[in-house]
């Protein structure tokens, strides 16, 4: 008798799916906010899945986390305080704390179960959650930024897709609150989905961020387990120009100064989604 094959399938659109053969399901639970699973895939290692959507995997997480963190932190001339909204797996926090100038990195994740299960099953990603410079808050990021004024040098929206608990993280009101929560010269970045599959959403995000920030840019990275494999980030800056990244001196696997610059060189179809300059 042949071995039973177990597969995880993410239905990325009504007509498109990603399938990964898995060894086992390590955890599956209904949290107060979403369906959470961590599965052990043969191709990409352990994979965090929220509401059926891949959030991160051990093998390709470095691309997303390095690009959502190092692009804004190396755009800012001297970041000391960083706020991560969402990001409960801890990957963005791990990357932020590679920057020697960071005095405090605050992460506000609404779903404590994401933090807890990432600590248990994704230690290579969650490894910085106990760093003395990390402040981990289980709470509502939208409320947190509303209550902050000029506090942060960099704010990152490391959100799930714009359904369920993350809808408010794609609103103009949230972007205005982030602007107000940033100090002078502050930089904001939000993950903004795939230019192949979510063009309308990217246009909306760009336009909403541009209605608040004086400089708005779109940049791209290749992430194999996200829908279409090509992912976008929207950056809003109160001043610093992302075309001029600072040099850095810590280990990375995807991010380089050249990749930083190249990420803003958009293919024509993606350039059309960017807010007018
Ligand atoms: N479709 C997947 C989008 C997920 C973006 N956020 C991932 C969180 C990883 N820290």
């Amino acid at each position: 008798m042949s071995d039973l094959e177990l597969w995880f399938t993410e239905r990325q659109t009504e007509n498109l799916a990603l399938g990964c053969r898995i060894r086992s399901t390590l955890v599956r639970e209904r949290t107060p906010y979403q369906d959470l699973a961590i599965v052990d895939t043969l191709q990409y290692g352990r994979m965090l899945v929220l509401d059926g959507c891949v959030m991160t995997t051990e093998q390709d997480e470095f691309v997303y986390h390095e690009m959502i963190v190092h692009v804004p932190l190396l755009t800012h001339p001297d970041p000391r305080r960083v706020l991560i909204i969402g990001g409960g797996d801890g990957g963005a926090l791990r990357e932020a704390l590679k920057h020697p100038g960071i005095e405090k990195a605050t992460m506000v994740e609404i779903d404590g179960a994401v933090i807890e299960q990432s600590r248990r099953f994704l230690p290579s990603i969650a490894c910085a959650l106990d760093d003395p410079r990390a402040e981990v808050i289980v709470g509502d990021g939208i409320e947190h930024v509303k209550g902050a004024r000029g506090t942060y040098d960099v704010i990152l929206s490391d959100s799930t897709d714009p359904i369920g608990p993350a809808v408010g993280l794609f609103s103009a009101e949230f972007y205005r609150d982030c602007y107000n929560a940033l100090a002078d010269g502050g930089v904001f970045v939000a993950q903004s989905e795939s230019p192949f599959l979510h063009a309308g959403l990217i246009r909306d995000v760009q336009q909403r961020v541009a209605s608040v920030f004086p400089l708005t840019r779109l940049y791209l990275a290749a992430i194999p387990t996200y829908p279409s494999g090509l992912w976008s980030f929207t950056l809003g800056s109160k001043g610093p120009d992302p075309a001029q990244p600072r040099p850095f001196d810590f280990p990375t696997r995807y991010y380089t100064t050249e990749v930083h610059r190249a990420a803003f060189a958009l293919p024509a179809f993606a350039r059309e989604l960017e807010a007018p300059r």
Side-chain angles (χ1 to χ4, degrees), residues 42 92 94 107 114 116 151-152 166 169 175 189 215 234 243 258:
L42 281 89
R94 181 196 65 202
M107 183 186 92
V114 176
E116 190 186 319
T151 310
Y152 299 103
L169 300 177
Y175 301 140
V189 165
L215 183 154
T234 291
E258 293 74 23

Side-chain angles (χ1 to χ4, degrees), residues 51-255:
D51 283 339
C53 300
V54 178
M55 289 298 118
T56 201
T57 80
E58 287 178 321
Q59 296 301 322
D60 73 347
E61 58 87 12
F62 65 97
V63 182
Y64 177 89
H65 291 127
E66 290 182 15
M67 289 301 279
I68 198 170
V69 170
H70 301 319
V71 171
L73 283 173
L74 292 167
T75 292
H76 193 286
D78 184 23
R80 289 158 193 259
R81 295 267 337 238
V82 59
L83 172 65
I84 300 158
I85 308 285
D89 52 69
L93 191 67
R94 181 196 65 202
E95 292 304 313
L97 290 171
K98 286 181 179 174
H99 291 251
I102 291 295
E103 291 163 0
K104 192 171 182 183
T106 302
M107 183 186 92
V108 184
E109 163 63 54
I110 201 163
D111 192 343
V114 176
I115 301 173
E116 190 186 319
Q117 301 298 6
S118 299
R119 278 186 200 277
R120 270 182 81 195
F121 293 110
L122 301 170
S124 62
I125 303 175
C127 54
L129 287 166
D130 296 318
D131 187 290
R133 293 171 297 156
E135 178 185 35
V136 175
I137 299 173
V138 176
D140 185 343
I142 295 176
E143 291 306 313
H144 185 90
V145 283
K146 267 193 212 308
R149 279 287 174 281
T151 310
Y152 299 103
D153 300 309
V154 171
I155 298 179
L156 310 174
S157 179
D158 181 8
S159 74
T160 52
D161 302 303
I163 41 168
V167 171
L169 300 177
F170 292 81
S171 69
E173 192 188 349
F174 172 68
Y175 301 140
R176 171 147 316 271
D177 290 338
C178 286
Y179 180 92
N180 291 329
L182 283 166
D184 289 346
V187 181
F188 170 76
V189 165
Q191 76 85 0
S192 49
E193 308 283 304
S194 164
F196 282 109
L197 301 174
H198 314 109
L201 176 88
I202 295 175
R203 267 205 192 90
D204 288 350
V205 169
Q206 282 279 310
Q207 179 260 312
R208 288 171 196 159
V209 171
S211 72
V212 178
F213 286 87
L215 183 154
T216 301
R217 296 283 185 274
L218 189 70
Y219 66 94
L220 302 176
I223 305 178
T225 58
Y226 285 1
S228 87
L230 185 66
W231 211 245
S232 81
F233 300 85
T234 291
L235 179 146
S237 171
K238 283 187 159 184
D241 182 353
Q244 310 292 334
R246 284 186 293 119
F248 68 103
D249 185 20
F250 48 76
T252 55
R253 293 180 64 202
Y254 188 88
Y255 182 94

Side-chain angles (χ1 to χ4, degrees), residues 10-55:
E10 174 182 344
R11 290 179 192 277
Q12 300 178 328
T13 73
E14 285 188 3
N15 306 308
L16 186 68
L18 171 76
C20 295
R21 190 170 165 205
I22 63 171
R23 286 188 192 88
S24 61
T25 300
L26 299 165
V27 64
R28 175 99 193 256
E29 69 172 292
R30 180 78 217 166
T31 80
Y33 297 96
Q34 53 210 340
D35 179 276
L36 181 157
I38 298 178
V39 293
D40 189 14
T41 74
L42 281 89
Q43 190 68 50
Y44 289 117
R46 293 180 176 185
M47 172 185 272
L48 171 65
V49 180
L50 296 177
D51 283 339
C53 300
V54 178
M55 289 298 118

